[in-house]
């Protein structure tokens, strides 16, 4: 992976974590961003999250999926890049 893509990946991870804490309301559980996978073409990003309360994983994922466009909008304000990748979330299954 190029330095530019690696830097974009790290920046997205940091900024999404900040957005989830400060800007997204009504998340039904405590969420941590575990990592970010950027596609080779840079058009898609998969954000891996973990949820403290395992019984709330589905509700949290549903809330984040519904806020995807808003999160991407906030990222676009914070990250200077030609095109921002489309966002998707996945719950990490690490135990």
């Amino acid at each position: 992976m190029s330095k530019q893509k690696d830097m974009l990946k790290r920046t997205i991870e940091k900024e999404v974590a900040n957005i989830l804490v400060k800007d997204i309301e009504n998340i039904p559980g405590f969420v941590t961003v575990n990592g970010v996978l950027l596609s080779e073409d840079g058009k898609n990003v998969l954000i891996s999250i973990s949820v403290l309360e395992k019984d709330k994983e589905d509700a949290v994922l549903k809330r984040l999926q519904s806020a995807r466009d808003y999160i991407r909008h906030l990222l676009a304000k914070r990250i200077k890049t030609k095109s921002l990748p489309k966002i998707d979330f996945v719950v990490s299954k690490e135990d």
Side-chain angles (χ1 to χ4, degrees):
M1 182 177 292
S2 72
K3 268 187 170 180
Q4 226 175 5
K5 281 187 180 181
D6 192 46
M7 192 162 101
L8 177 61
K9 194 173 111 171
R10 286 193 314 261
T11 304
I12 289 173
E13 183 174 358
K14 179 182 141 206
E15 291 300 334
V16 167
N18 287 333
I19 288 169
L20 294 182
V21 169
K22 297 176 182 175
D23 299 309
I24 305 299
E25 297 177 358
N26 302 323
I27 298 176
F30 184 76
V31 180
T32 304
V33 175
N34 292 338
V36 171
L37 292 172
L38 186 63
S39 66
E40 286 296 319
D41 62 6
K43 292 183 180 181
N44 297 293
V45 65
L46 185 63
I47 301 170
S48 175
I49 61 164
S50 61
V51 181
L52 184 62
E53 304 91 350
K54 298 298 179 194
D55 59 322
K56 295 183 179 181
E57 286 179 348
D58 290 338
V60 168
L61 190 58
K62 186 175 181 180
R63 174 67 181 113
L64 294 180
Q65 294 291 26
S66 71
R68 274 191 299 210
D69 292 336
Y70 180 62
I71 293 169
R72 189 168 185 244
H73 169 76
L74 293 175
L75 277 175
K77 287 182 171 183
R78 298 175 186 197
I79 299 174
K80 303 295 182 217
T81 183
K82 274 187 182 178
S83 64
L84 199 62
K86 292 181 182 177
I87 298 171
D88 204 6
F89 291 93
V90 63
V91 174
S92 175
K93 294 298 177 184
E94 297 174 8
D95 290 322

